[in-house]
């Protein structure tokens, strides 16, 4: 693959173009694209035109560019994450209907040190919620992230706890020993509950989802205002949904809560 003068391959430049788009910038002119992707104007214009030709981007009536349908089509057709999200929806709907709180499915993106949300059901009773489909949040400052990490290999836990933390976690006042205790408690309870970490007045409760061989695949979570938390009701409902989805994904060891947390080692 041909490299630019900077040494970047064409694929790397294409990825930079795609990363320039986000929920705050769904449409960009070629000039804006060059600025956000840190490419020369001529390179951005050429790449955008070529990507539009292949359907990776689409031209807008105003002369800008948006992400094209081809990317969505390929993701829908072949992604295992899409299959996971589709399998989760009935279980999420059961939680959403009974609890009337925002319900999400998240997975870990270890390369980016974030969780990413695959599916989300919204309740009008939750005014502030940072989760959104295809949105990312730090692992250590979210209930879903901690639920996944608690059942991940010990080496992965150590890496997240020992490397520099994201600003939300760093400013929350939590300590490494405190996080280790929370992960241990999560393995005991089968779920984790956080209050007012990412958003003041908001809480998150999450339970892990497992697949074949007991590997943690992701987490189901509820976001609710702190004054509407009732863990005696919410936690069993969430655990039942997570267990049902785990069975759907091929996990068979379902003898009590302990089946969820054999000691995670690498």
């Amino acid at each position: 693959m041909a490299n630019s003068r900077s040494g970047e391959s064409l694929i790397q430049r294409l990825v930079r173009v795609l990363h320039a788009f986000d929920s705050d910038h769904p449409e960009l002119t070629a000039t804006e694209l060059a600025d956000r992707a840190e490419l020369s104007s001529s390179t951005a214009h050429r790449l955008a035109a070529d990507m539009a030709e292949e359907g990776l981007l689409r031209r807008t009536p105003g002369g800008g560019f948006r992400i094209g349908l081809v990317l969505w089509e390929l993701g829908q057709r072949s992604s295992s994450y899409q299959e996971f999200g589709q399998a989760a929806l009935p279980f999420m709907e059961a939680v959403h209907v009974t609890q009337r709180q925002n319900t999400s499915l998240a997975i870990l993106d270890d390369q980016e040190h974030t969780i990413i949300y695959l599916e989300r059901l919204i309740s009008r009773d939750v005014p502030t919620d940072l989760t959104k489909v295809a949105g990312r949040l730090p692992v250590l400052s979210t209930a879903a992230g901690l639920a996944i990490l608690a059942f991940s290999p010990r080496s992965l836990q150590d890496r997240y706890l020992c490397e520099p933390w994201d600003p939300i976690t760093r400013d929350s006042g939590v300590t490494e020993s405190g996080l280790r205790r929370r992960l241990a408690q999560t393995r005991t309870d089968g779920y984790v509950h956080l209050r007012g970490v990412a958003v003041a007045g908001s809480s998150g409760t999450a339970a892990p989802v497992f697949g074949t061989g007991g590997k943690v695949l992701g987490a189901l979570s509820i976001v609710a205002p702190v004054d509407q938390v009732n863990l005696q009701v919410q936690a069993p409902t969430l655990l039942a949904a997570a267990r049902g989805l785990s069975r759907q994904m091929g996990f068979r060891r379902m003898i009590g809560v302990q089946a969820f947390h054999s000691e995670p080692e690498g």
Side-chain angles (χ1 to χ4, degrees), residues 102-137:
N102 288 5
T103 307
S104 303
L105 173 70
I107 59 172
L108 177 69
D109 184 347
D110 187 40
Q111 289 187 334
E112 298 293 332
H113 283 209
T114 61
I115 57 169
I116 184 167
Y117 291 90
L118 299 185
E119 297 288 349
R120 180 179 181 239
L121 300 176
I122 304 172
S123 171
R124 294 181 180 178
D125 297 332
V126 184
T128 304
D129 181 4
L130 299 180
T131 67
K132 56 186 176 181
V133 173
R136 295 175 181 270
L137 287 175

Side-chain angles (χ1 to χ4, degrees), residues 61-83:
F65 294 91
R66 284 178 173 263
I67 295 293
L69 283 175
V70 167
L71 287 176
W72 175 85
E73 180 185 6
L74 291 173
Q76 296 290 314
R77 184 189 303 162
S78 59
S79 173
S80 61
Y81 303 127
Q82 175 69 15
E83 296 174 4

Side-chain angles (χ1 to χ4, degrees), residues 21 30 32 45-46 58 98 100 118 134 138 161 164:
F21 296 91
E32 292 169 335
H45 277 75
R46 183 178 67 256
R58 67 178 176 88
T98 58
R100 297 183 179 180
L118 299 185
L161 293 174

Side-chain angles (χ1 to χ4, degrees), residues 7-266:
E8 283 188 316
S9 68
L10 176 58
I11 292 296
Q12 289 172 315
R13 283 173 279 161
L14 291 176
V15 169
R16 287 173 67 178
V17 168
L18 293 174
H19 275 300
F21 296 91
D22 58 27
S23 58
D24 295 324
H25 304 86
E27 181 176 337
L28 297 169
T29 66
T31 300
E32 292 169 335
L33 194 56
D35 183 57
R36 287 183 54 79
E38 298 182 349
L39 295 169
S40 69
S41 179
S42 61
T43 297
H45 277 75
R46 183 178 67 256
L47 289 178
D50 289 347
M51 293 170 76
E53 183 80 15
E54 299 299 328
L56 299 176
L57 300 181
R58 67 178 176 88
R59 296 181 184 272
T60 66
F65 294 91
R66 284 178 173 263
I67 295 293
L69 283 175
V70 167
L71 287 176
W72 175 85
E73 180 185 6
L74 291 173
Q76 296 290 314
R77 184 189 303 162
S78 59
S79 173
S80 61
Y81 303 127
Q82 175 69 15
E83 296 174 4
F84 187 27
Q86 289 298 311
L89 279 175
F91 300 97
M92 293 175 59
E93 288 168 354
V95 174
H96 187 252
V97 167
T98 58
Q99 301 305 307
R100 297 183 179 180
Q101 306 292 354
N102 288 5
T103 307
S104 303
L105 173 70
I107 59 172
L108 177 69
D109 184 347
D110 187 40
Q111 289 187 334
E112 298 293 332
H113 283 209
T114 61
I115 57 169
I116 184 167
Y117 291 90
L118 299 185
E119 297 288 349
R120 180 179 181 239
L121 300 176
I122 304 172
S123 171
R124 294 181 180 178
D125 297 332
V126 184
T128 304
D129 181 4
L130 299 180
T131 67
K132 56 186 176 181
V133 173
R136 295 175 181 270
L137 287 175
V139 172
L140 297 181
S141 61
T142 58
L146 291 178
I148 296 170
L149 194 61
F151 296 90
S152 296
R154 185 76 68 189
S155 59
L156 185 65
Q157 296 177 16
D158 290 340
R159 179 151 57 85
Y160 273 88
L161 293 174
C162 295
E163 291 182 353
W165 295 351
D166 64 273
I168 296 176
T169 304
R170 189 176 62 242
D171 296 342
S172 69
V174 71
T175 62
E176 180 182 335
S177 60
L179 280 173
R180 290 190 183 277
R181 287 194 298 270
R182 177 162 282 162
L183 294 178
Q185 190 64 50
T186 301
R187 291 192 293 273
T188 298
D189 297 338
Y191 71 93
V192 62
H193 177 69
L194 292 182
R195 287 175 176 257
V197 176
V199 177
S202 183
S203 72
T205 308
V209 177
F210 300 92
T212 304
K215 179 181 179 180
V216 62
L217 301 178
L220 290 176
S221 63
I222 297 173
V223 173
V226 293
D227 60 356
Q228 295 181 24
V229 173
N230 183 349
L231 289 180
Q232 291 184 332
V233 175
Q234 292 168 345
T237 301
L238 194 60
L239 281 169
R243 289 168 176 164
L245 179 54
S246 294
R247 286 193 293 269
Q248 186 83 6
M249 300 307 296
F251 184 51
R252 300 303 176 205
R253 294 179 56 203
M254 304 302 295
I255 306 173
V257 174
Q258 292 295 321
F260 272 85
H261 54 79
S262 57
E263 188 68 5
E265 295 292 347

